[in-house]
Amino acid sequence: MSQIYASFKSIGAYVPEKILSNADLETMVDTTDEWILKRTGIKERHIAADDEVTSDMGAKAARLAIDRADIDKEEIDLVLCATVTPDYFNMPSTACIISDKLGIKNVQAFDISAACSGFVYLLTVAKAFVESGMKKNVLIVGAEKFSSIVDYTDRSTCILFGDGAGAAIISATSKKEEAFVDVHASADGSYADFLVTPAPGTVNPVSQKVLDEGLQYVQMKGNETFKLAVKTLTKDVKEILAKNEINSDEIPHFIPHQANYRIIKAVGDALKMKEEQVVLTVGKYGNTSAASIPMAINDIWESGRLQNGELMLLDTFGGGLTWASALLPFAGKAK
Ligand code: UT7
């Protein structure tokens, strides 16, 4: 029997219409366009409509990914969603709702929670399901309505985050040249307080205290997270390249999590990446957490920059703390 590999067949994304610019934020909190641009590289971010929920965005991205993979939705046998802003905090999972919105019936569906690392975590899960022979076509979705947990009076966080979704189809293949080269994911829960949404949950069930203290909003130790992100990502990405005996100049597309331009630049410089190798969307989308990497992949696909067989190097870092990296060829059709 021939070996089965996981391959990255297609990409899709959805960006909500409404834009929140730095100029808009200047009217909301004590900040300036200049500060935001200099410290983060962000010019604007997109915000979902009031009645637009995470599964709506995820389903829109997923429809594109399914169309572009040239498969019928009936061929999908697993639906996974990475999000920390689910439609419902307890149940049902956003993956179940996305499946229903797509008319995908009777297949396994569940969410994972790995914050900004969610999409790359999903690659590890999809790879395991596909390469064990349990599933053939996995729909993976990273979708976030981060605006629903942002305190728009907190200048240290509200300037960073945006909403959106990205999706991909991961399929079984017997062709080694289409296979994921490597994926790696890790976590360290001792840094849980670096990035946390204190409520709702068993630590802080919904109560008047939660609302009075704003515990439903994301809190971040920004500077500490920044420093650890640079250190961890640089080490992680160097390791995945060394382990697979690939030089950074052989990577046409370095697609990092889009949290802060300065983090991306520091890691890119440590790897001696040239500007044209590094995919940057943080300026126009901000940090969209689990949606950030697939939205960035979609950007280069839609602009015709991503060709069949080209290597992508992904890296990400987020709440948990979690981090992950992946090295894989794009095994789908170019635009
Ligand atoms: O996606 C998951 C992972 N997340 C990240 O990787 C985010 C990592 N962190 C960051 O991107 C950066 O730490 C921030 C952009 C959040 C902050 O940049 P920083 O260079 O680390 O600034 P800082 O937190 O050290 O703050 C410097 C100063 C402070 O004022 P003082 O104490 O020096 O007077 C802040 O109060 O900047 C002030 N500040 C602001 N000033 C204007 C913080 N936010 C703002 C703001 N506008 N929006």
Side-chain angles (χ1 to χ4, degrees):
M1 210 174 74
S2 67
Q3 171 88 35
I4 305 167
Y5 302 105
S7 67
F8 194 103
K9 294 302 285 185
S10 69
I11 188 73
Y14 171 76
V15 188
E17 221 172 274
K18 186 179 157 193
I19 290 175
L20 181 66
S21 68
N22 290 351
D24 295 330
L25 285 162
E26 282 180 348
T27 69
M28 296 159 68
V29 288
D30 181 15
T31 193
T32 60
D33 172 49
E34 192 196 353
W35 191 95
I36 301 171
L37 210 52
K38 195 168 153 212
R39 301 280 182 133
T40 69
I42 302 170
K43 295 190 184 103
E44 57 191 33
R45 59 300 282 141
H46 291 245
I47 303 293
D50 288 346
D51 61 354
E52 189 171 37
V53 297
T54 301
S55 63
D56 293 325
M57 295 188 279
K60 283 182 179 161
R63 274 191 201 100
L64 285 177
I66 296 167
D67 283 353
R68 293 170 182 173
D70 272 343
I71 58 170
D72 283 340
K73 62 182 190 215
E74 285 70 31
E75 295 173 73
I76 292 169
D77 47 9
L78 176 62
V79 177
L80 303 173
C81 180
T83 185
V84 287
T85 49
D87 286 13
Y88 301 96
F89 268 94
N90 306 110
M91 61 183 158
S93 73
T94 303
C96 284
I97 299 168
I98 290 173
S99 304
D100 182 54
K101 286 183 175 165
L102 297 172
I104 296 174
K105 303 275 180 209
N106 300 320
V107 305
Q108 186 177 355
F110 61 94
D111 288 357
I112 66 143
S113 170
C116 303
S117 307
F119 187 79
V120 185
Y121 262 60
L122 284 187
L123 291 177
T124 68
V125 179
K127 180 180 192 293
F129 269 101
V130 167
E131 296 192 350
S132 65
M134 283 179 72
K135 305 290 177 190
K136 287 195 172 62
N137 294 298
V138 185
L139 168 62
I140 61 171
V141 183
E144 302 281 13
K145 186 171 180 175
F146 228 87
S147 59
S148 67
I149 57 164
V150 165
D151 175 358
Y152 284 98
T153 65
D154 176 3
R155 69 175 184 175
S156 71
T157 53
C158 73
I159 56 150
L160 298 171
F161 296 100
D163 300 336
I169 297 291
I170 308 302
S171 295
T173 181
S174 57
K175 296 180 187 152
K176 180 90 171 88
E177 66 277 15
E178 292 188 342
F180 288 17
V181 177
D182 206 355
V183 282
H184 168 252
S186 195
D188 186 344
S190 67
Y191 293 107
D193 63 333
F194 273 36
L195 250 167
V196 60
T197 311
T202 52
V203 173
N204 293 299
V206 175
S207 66
Q208 192 56 46
K209 174 178 175 274
V210 164
L211 298 177
D212 290 346
E213 296 179 12
L215 301 179
Q216 72 275 30
Y217 296 126
V218 65
Q219 299 173 359
M220 182 172 68
K221 292 187 175 172
N223 197 261
E224 290 92 327
T225 307
F226 181 99
K227 287 183 201 148
L228 203 57
V230 172
K231 199 170 118 191
T232 309
L233 288 174
T234 303
K235 181 169 176 285
D236 204 48
V237 170
K238 279 185 174 169
E239 274 173 14
I240 200 169
L241 288 174
K243 185 177 154 211
N244 295 286
E245 296 178 349
I246 293 176
N247 285 324
S248 61
D249 60 4
E250 296 171 72
I251 304 289
H253 308 292
F254 174 43
I255 308 162
H257 170 49
Q258 307 285 317
N260 184 319
Y261 171 70
R262 289 187 295 142
I263 298 177
I264 297 171
K265 173 98 173 72
V267 178
D269 285 353
L271 291 170
K272 300 192 171 57
M273 289 277 182
K274 296 199 187 82
E275 227 171 77
E276 58 270 26
Q277 290 173 275
V278 184
V279 177
L280 269 182
T281 56
V282 68
K284 57 181 178 176
Y285 301 144
N287 180 349
T288 58
S289 183
S292 124
I293 286 186
M295 285 169 76
I297 299 174
N298 184 67
D299 246 57
I300 55 168
W301 187 86
E302 290 202 341
S303 66
R305 272 172 68 196
L306 184 60
Q307 301 296 313
N308 176 270
E310 286 183 341
L311 261 187
M312 303 185 283
L313 172 63
L314 317 180
D315 86 31
T316 185
F317 189 86
L321 291 174
T322 55
W323 60 96
S325 55
L327 197 51
L328 67 171
F330 177 64
K333 281 194 304 205
K335 194 177 180 195

